Amino acid sequence: MLKSVVRAVGAAVRVSNATVTSSVRAAPLRCPVLCAPSSATARPFTRSLWMLSNSGASSGYRPKLFSSKVLTPSISCGCGGLHTEGDKAFGDFLTDEIKEEKKIQKSKTLPKMSGGWELEMNGTEAKLVRFVSGEKVTVTFNVNNSIPPNFGEEVEQGQQKPAEEEPEIVSTPNFVVEVTKQGAKHSLVFDCNFPEDEISHGEGEEESDIFAIREVSFQPEGDGDWKETSYTLNTDSLDWALYDHLMDFLADRGVDNTFADELMELSTAVEHQEYIKFLEDLQSFVKCT
């Protein structure tokens, strides 16, 4: 009889311990670590100036990290594509974005280049042509990837600047200058860029060249591809006297600081036009219109 009582008490103790252990192991599952979005999560910097203002996006849409709502497709047109609530919110955001970008667009027409340059456009590529005493000077540039990548470095997380203090987006594309002489089999080609530390000048500072020559080479006339088999002179370790003569050679043909300033203005206008067109095409694609 006593042994039976002891066995019963022992069994009860084991059951009790198992219950406590089970409850302790299960306790962490009652409050998962990801029960709320992290406060460190931040919206990435956007290129739109209006997005940095206090008003923000007029659509008010912000993505949620944890949402219990399941987005179900809703076919509303004959395209046969997928249409979700997320697509609708995306389309509404693009509508507001396009309106704001058009507000800050300086002009719908491209600025003119002084000096008798003729402009030819092919999508995002621009070509400027000028004839000087029998020589043909061609400048080609593409606005893709022409916005400096450090544009938003000074914008700190969680802080916003007044609209009048917003930095202006400026397109600074690399450009190629091709000088062709009559009867010559090859053209003298200059690969140029805008160094970041030379784009702006402080008051009272001596004016320096806002663009630089990176490489110089002779290339077949009218050939769009830079042939790697042709000798290419890199200016990184070039004698300064020779470099100055090359810059003077370009200036005598109309490629100087004034030209570079106007090229940046033209490139900025082209880039902004292409950006708005991209947003409009993206909106049509999302909304299937």
Side-chain angles (χ1 to χ4, degrees):
M1 179 66 177
L2 181 59
K3 291 181 179 181
S4 299
V5 172
V6 172
R7 284 197 295 269
V9 172
V13 171
R14 286 195 296 272
V15 171
S16 176
N17 290 339
T19 302
V20 172
T21 303
S22 176
S23 63
V24 170
R25 292 176 180 174
L29 299 179
R30 296 175 184 173
C31 183
V33 176
L34 297 179
C35 60
S38 171
S39 59
T41 303
R43 181 181 179 89
F45 178 80
T46 60
R47 60 163 283 158
S48 301
L49 300 183
W50 76 280
M51 288 297 293
L52 300 178
S53 65
N54 293 330
S55 60
S58 59
S59 64
Y61 172 74
R62 294 293 185 274
K64 296 182 180 179
L65 297 181
F66 296 90
S67 175
S68 59
K69 183 178 180 180
V70 179
L71 300 180
T72 57
S74 174
I75 305 298
S76 59
C77 70
C79 70
L82 179 66
H83 298 277
T84 68
E85 291 297 326
D87 293 343
K88 183 180 182 303
F90 193 8
D92 292 341
F93 166 80
L94 289 172
T95 298
D96 294 333
E97 181 80 352
I98 293 169
K99 290 180 180 178
E100 295 300 328
E101 288 296 328
K102 287 184 176 180
K103 284 181 181 179
I104 63 175
Q105 188 176 18
K106 292 182 178 180
S107 175
K108 293 184 179 181
T109 59
L110 298 177
K112 300 292 184 180
M113 297 285 295
S114 62
W117 294 92
E118 297 179 4
L119 174 64
E120 301 175 12
M121 292 297 306
N122 181 20
T124 59
E125 184 180 85
K127 180 182 292 186
L128 296 165
V129 181
R130 182 180 188 231
F131 292 91
V132 184
S133 300
E135 292 184 0
K136 180 182 179 181
V137 184
T138 305
V139 179
T140 308
F141 64 92
N142 196 310
V143 300
N144 282 335
N145 303 314
S146 62
I147 303 298
N150 61 345
F151 170 72
E153 282 185 357
E154 297 182 358
V155 180
E156 298 181 4
Q157 180 178 340
Q159 295 185 357
Q160 296 177 344
K161 295 181 178 181
E164 62 272 11
E165 296 180 9
E166 295 295 350
E168 183 178 0
I169 296 179
V170 178
S171 172
T172 55
N174 298 339
F175 61 96
V176 174
V177 183
E178 180 180 358
V179 180
T180 305
K181 291 181 177 289
Q182 292 181 350
K185 295 181 179 179
H186 294 81
S187 300
L188 186 59
V189 182
F190 299 79
D191 182 8
C192 305
N193 73 329
F194 290 95
E196 294 182 10
D197 56 346
E198 297 292 346
I199 293 178
S200 60
H201 309 290
E203 295 183 3
E205 293 182 2
E206 183 179 355
E207 183 180 4
S208 60
D209 296 312
I210 63 175
F211 72 97
I213 302 172
R214 298 191 303 181
E215 294 179 337
V216 186
S217 178
F218 281 104
Q219 298 290 331
E221 180 185 355
D223 198 329
D225 297 327
W226 189 289
K227 292 189 178 298
E228 298 297 336
T229 54
S230 300
Y231 178 78
T232 299
L233 178 66
N234 191 299
T235 61
D236 287 343
S237 56
L238 192 64
D239 178 79
W240 278 106
L242 177 55
Y243 182 85
D244 287 341
H245 280 297
L246 290 173
M247 292 293 290
D248 290 341
F249 179 87
L250 289 179
D252 291 339
R253 286 152 180 82
V255 182
D256 52 13
N257 273 355
T258 300
F259 171 85
D261 274 326
E262 293 180 355
L263 186 144
M264 282 194 295
E265 184 180 356
L266 173 62
S267 180
T268 300
V270 172
E271 199 279 338
H272 199 193
Q273 276 191 359
E274 291 297 320
Y275 178 61
I276 293 176
K277 182 178 181 299
F278 172 80
L279 293 180
E280 291 173 339
D281 292 342
L282 181 59
Q283 182 190 45
S284 297
F285 188 85
V286 171
K287 290 188 172 182
C288 195
T289 56

